[in-house]
Amino acid sequence: MKTVYKQLEGKMEKTIEALKYEFTTIRTGRANAQMLDKVRVDYYGTPTPINQVGAISVPEPRTLMISPWDKSAMTEIEKAIRNSDLGLNPTNDGQVIRISVPALTEERRKELVKRAHKVSEEFKVRLRNERRDANDTLKKMEKDGEITADELKKGQDEVQKITDKFIKNIETLLATKEKDIMEI
């Protein structure tokens, strides 16, 4: 049964890491290179992540800078950023693309908080699915005679405790992200 718990915790930790990454792509009032991770540039007919067509840096708290490796891709990079749902307006000086990250409006902040809540709910569903899989494994172990009915009950209680711990972790991450978004 210990292996079931270890596997469950491992899967849930990976889910939490994925959520942390997902939260980095939700914009706050500060510039951060991960904001652009989901933006794809049409690079010679292939949708390519921005970080694969240029170096992204954050020279100032509200500025992103992209130094394309191929200067001919600058207009495509600009277009991709403008068309994204980030609400950013890049400028091009021929060498680099600068993006000034404007302060968020109250309305935009509320939209982003809603998005963060939606994302966290999706990840809670993933945790619940992992809990269900672990419980199914325990039931199969009982059916195969590897554990008793009492051990099954104890196992399911332990699986629930693990799940509760990780759901609390998601709620803490969400509260932190919400605070970051609402910060002026």
Side-chain angles (χ1 to χ4, degrees), residues 43 101 121 167:
Y43 189 63
V101 178
E121 196 51 49
I167 284 183

Side-chain angles (χ1 to χ4, degrees), residues 16-29:
I16 295 295
E17 289 306 309
L19 174 65
K20 287 177 183 175
Y21 173 76
E22 191 70 27
F23 275 171
T24 63
T25 65
I26 297 177
R27 191 179 147 199
T28 61

